[in-house]
């Protein structure tokens, strides 16, 4: 179960916020409900500051829950900005009283994953973070009739992944008679490697649905594109990070020395290569900015999984650090990119890239922030995206094996392929003259650019640059990655 230390009380605090906000929002007049985003952001800001003070004051000892603290900082920070960005962008006559509480419940589950020490607790927390998102994806059903089908697709595939992961957890429990992560490696030492590998693959595929690894990714484009921007930011950063940590934290239960971890690493690496390549190729043919970002998210997950895959194959802890760092960098950059893209689409009245000609130049602050996110996702220096990809490249090269070098080269080639859709987007949004004729595609009523969105996007852009310039300020990421590899890789 989750240990009762100060850090693990944060998920309970966040979940309590969901209940409190539901009561408060239900009782206030609709005219004041637009401030619900501020209340949610302040609630999460308190949790963020508490986690930050805890991680700064904690001595560098093995007992410090760096993994939970690091994930908690990402979840609460990004979640707070996403909640604030949603302020004023939601219909006050709609079900706002459900929106923010559901967001908090999802964030509570994602935060709790990093502190969990029990296989079944990890599974339950992942589901706690997923269930509210299923409903939130359909929140815009009044504005877009496709939102409900997108939510249903995510629900059906998500439940399938849930059952698959549960089967894997059950196999490990039946074999080891316990679900405690620290006890399972010893309890499974005499179990057949085939049984252990079967359970591990089931867990990988189950959580892989929620991570949208190819070919289990078909739910993601519609869900990311049709959900409210705050929800998408939470999905790409908070809940996806929670699932990723859940996957590899669950795999720490596997015993070492029987070849299972090596084989599993090969499987993870294979999925990583397929995912990054397919995601980039699919993004090349998209005309809708939301779908370009959605398919590129598939590719980004491939980059992330490659780091963890190399760590498993080569017994290389540095690769885990690279994977976790890029997870954090991706969450920040892609969360901000989706918020900015949605602001562009509302102001332009369309989600098609062609209909947004010159919009970045007309809104320079938002445009510059979006450029920073895209350059980071490409891997341009002075951004956390560049440093994340550099760490992944170094991990492949440092193996001193031809296979590791080849993996690093494949990642580099995929980064080059991504230029095929990122550069045209930047060119159209920042340097093209405004469109004269209306563009075919989804059209929205033009709206005034929200200051709350602008604030959230600018903050994330600043963090993107700061993490790229001063990564040594967050050395606890290395400690957090080490807690994902307790079976002898560190």
């Amino acid at each position: 179960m989750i240990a009762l230390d100060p850090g693990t009380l944060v998920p309970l605090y966040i979940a309590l916020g969901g209940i409190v906000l539901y009561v408060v929002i239900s009782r206030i007049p609709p005219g004041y409900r637009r401030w619900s985003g501020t209340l949610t952001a302040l609630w999460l800001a308190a949790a963020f500051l508490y986690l930050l003070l805890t991680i700064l004051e904690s001595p560098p000892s093995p007992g410090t829950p760096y993994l939970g603290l690091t994930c908690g900082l990402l979840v609460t920070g990004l979640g707070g900005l996403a909640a604030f960005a949603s302020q004023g962008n939601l219909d006050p006559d709609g079900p706002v009283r459900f929106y923010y509480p559901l967001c908090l419940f999802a964030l509570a589950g994602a935060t709790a994953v990093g502190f969990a020490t029990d296989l079944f607790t990890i599974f339950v927390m992942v589901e706690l973070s997923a269930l509210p998102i299923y409903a939130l994806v359909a929140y815009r059903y009044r504005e877009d009739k496709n939102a409900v089908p997108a939510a249903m697709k995510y629900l059906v595939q998500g439940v399938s992944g849930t059952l698959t992961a549960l089967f894997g957890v059950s196999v490990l429990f039946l074999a080891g008679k316990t679900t405690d992560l620290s006890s399972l490696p010893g309890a499974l030492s005499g179990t057949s490697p085939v049984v252990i590998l079967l359970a591990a693959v089931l867990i990988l595929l189950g959580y892989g649905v929620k991570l949208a690894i190819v070919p289990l990714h078909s739910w993601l484009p519609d869900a990311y594109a049709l959900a409210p921007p705050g929800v998408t930011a939470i999905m790409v950063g908070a809940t996806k990070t929670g699932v990723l940590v859940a996957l590899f934290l669950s795999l720490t239960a596997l015993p070492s020395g029987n070849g299972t971890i090596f084989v599993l690493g090969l499987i993870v690496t294979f999925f990583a290569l397929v995912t990054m390549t397919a995601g980039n190729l699919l993004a090349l043919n998209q005309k809708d900015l939301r779908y370009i970002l959605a398919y590129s998210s598939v590719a980004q997950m491939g980059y992330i999984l490659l780091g963890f895959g190399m760590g498993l194959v080569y017994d290389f802890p540095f690769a885990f650090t690279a994977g976790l760092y890029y997870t954090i960098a991706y969450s920040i950059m892609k969360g901000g990119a989706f918020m900015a893209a949605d602001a562009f689409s509302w102001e332009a009245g369309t989600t098609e890239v062609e209909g947004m000609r010159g919009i970045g130049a007309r809104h320079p602050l938002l445009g510059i922030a979006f450029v920073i996110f895209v350059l980071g996702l490409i891997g341009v220096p002075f951004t956390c995206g560049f440093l994340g990809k550099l760490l992944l490249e170094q991990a492949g090269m440092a193996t001193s094996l031809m296979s590791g070098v080849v993996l690093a080269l494949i990642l580099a080639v995929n980064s080059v392929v991504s230029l095929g859709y990122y550069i045209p987007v930047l060119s159209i949004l920042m340097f093209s003259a405004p469109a004269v004729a209306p563009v075919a595609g989804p059209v929205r009523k033009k709206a005034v650019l929200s200051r709350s969105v602008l604030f959230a996007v600018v903050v994330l852009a600043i963090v993107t640059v700061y993490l790229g310039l001063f990564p040594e300020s967050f050395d606890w990421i290395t400690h957090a990655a080490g807690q994902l590899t307790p079976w002898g890789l560190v």
Side-chain angles (χ1 to χ4, degrees):
M1 299 299 291
I2 299 178
L4 293 177
D5 59 68
T8 58
L9 296 178
V10 173
L12 299 177
Y13 165 80
I14 297 174
L16 178 62
I19 299 173
V20 172
L21 282 173
Y22 174 79
V23 174
V24 171
I25 297 173
S26 298
R27 293 179 179 272
I28 60 177
Y32 294 95
R33 289 178 181 173
R34 69 182 306 272
W35 300 105
S36 303
T38 298
L39 294 176
T40 306
L42 290 174
W43 191 276
L44 290 169
F48 178 86
L49 291 175
Y50 173 77
L51 289 169
L52 183 62
L53 291 175
T54 301
I55 202 170
L56 291 176
E57 294 176 357
S58 296
S61 62
T64 303
Y66 283 106
L67 181 61
L69 294 171
T70 301
C71 293
L73 284 172
L74 175 65
V75 170
T76 55
L78 187 58
L81 289 173
F84 186 67
S86 299
Q87 179 171 284
N89 296 321
L90 302 173
D91 183 3
D93 296 323
V96 180
R97 66 185 183 279
F98 295 115
Y99 179 88
Y100 292 105
L102 287 174
C103 286
L104 286 175
F105 290 141
L107 295 173
T111 303
V113 169
F115 293 104
T117 58
D118 181 273
L119 202 61
F120 187 71
T121 301
I122 294 173
F123 171 81
V124 172
M125 292 301 103
V126 169
E127 290 313 300
L128 175 60
S129 68
L131 289 174
I133 298 297
Y134 296 145
L136 288 170
V137 169
Y139 188 85
R140 280 179 167 177
Y141 72 95
R142 293 181 179 178
E143 304 165 22
D144 195 328
K145 63 181 180 180
N146 295 318
V148 173
M152 289 301 299
K153 183 191 295 185
Y154 183 24
L155 173 62
V156 171
Q157 295 190 32
V159 170
S160 300
T162 296
L163 294 175
T164 304
L166 182 58
F167 286 147
V169 171
S170 300
V171 171
L172 291 181
F173 171 72
L174 292 174
K177 308 303 180 184
T178 180
T179 56
D180 181 68
L181 290 178
S182 61
S183 302
L184 269 170
L188 295 172
S189 59
T191 306
S192 170
V194 176
V195 174
I196 296 175
L197 183 61
L198 172 63
V201 170
L202 288 173
I203 293 174
L204 171 62
L205 294 178
Y207 289 143
V209 173
K210 301 180 187 298
L211 293 174
I213 63 175
V214 176
L216 309 174
H217 70 289
S218 59
W219 63 268
L220 183 144
D222 289 338
Y224 276 22
L226 301 175
V231 174
T232 305
I234 289 173
M235 292 171 69
V236 301
T239 59
K240 183 165 283 191
T241 299
V243 175
L244 190 75
V245 170
L247 170 60
F248 291 100
L249 195 58
S250 297
L251 297 181
T252 63
L254 304 183
S256 60
N258 57 7
T260 303
I261 294 175
F262 174 78
V263 175
L264 187 64
L266 293 177
I267 297 174
V268 171
T269 302
F270 170 77
F271 277 119
L273 298 178
V274 173
T275 299
M276 70 173 70
T277 304
N280 281 321
L281 293 178
L282 289 169
L284 288 172
N285 298 321
Q286 304 303 315
K287 299 180 180 180
D288 189 309
L289 181 57
R290 302 171 303 173
Y291 281 89
I292 291 175
L293 294 176
Y295 279 110
S296 73
S297 295
V298 176
Q300 298 291 329
M301 181 49 58
Y303 302 153
I304 293 169
L305 287 177
L306 182 62
F308 290 102
M310 289 190 295
L312 293 170
V313 171
Y314 301 110
D315 289 355
F316 195 25
F318 178 75
F320 276 78
T321 301
L324 185 59
Y325 181 89
Y326 196 75
T327 300
I328 296 171
Y330 154 79
S331 301
I332 294 168
M333 296 183 296
K334 190 52 72 74
F338 267 107
M339 291 184 198
D342 198 76
F344 286 145
S345 67
W346 277 109
E347 203 278 338
T350 180
T351 58
E352 298 288 334
V353 175
E354 285 294 327
M356 300 180 187
R357 288 184 172 272
I359 195 172
R362 295 197 298 274
H363 299 281
L365 198 58
L366 187 65
I368 292 173
F370 185 76
V371 169
I372 291 174
F373 297 136
V374 172
L375 293 181
L377 292 168
I378 293 173
V380 174
F382 307 114
T383 65
C384 57
F386 167 76
L387 183 59
K389 287 188 177 181
L390 179 62
L391 293 176
L392 291 172
E393 292 285 354
Q394 287 180 340
M397 297 296 184
T399 61
S400 300
L401 297 173
M402 181 57 67
S403 56
V405 174
V406 170
L407 292 176
L409 291 176
I410 294 176
L411 188 153
V413 170
N414 270 276
S415 295
V416 173
V417 173
S418 69
L419 296 176
Y421 54 84
Y422 281 135
I423 296 301
V425 167
L426 291 182
S427 176
I428 292 173
L429 267 62
M430 300 300 296
F431 306 110
S432 298
V436 178
V439 178
V443 177
R444 294 174 171 176
K445 183 179 179 180
K446 292 186 178 182
V448 179
L449 185 63
S450 171
R451 292 182 179 179
S452 59
V453 173
L454 184 61
F455 173 81
V457 168
V458 169
V459 169
L460 290 174
I462 293 173
V463 174
T464 297
V465 176
Y466 181 80
L467 277 176
L469 294 176
F470 306 103
E472 66 278 2
S473 301
F474 300 91
D475 59 348
W476 63 71
I477 296 177
T478 301
H479 295 292
Q483 292 176 356
L484 286 173
T485 61
W487 55 79
L489 296 181
V490 292

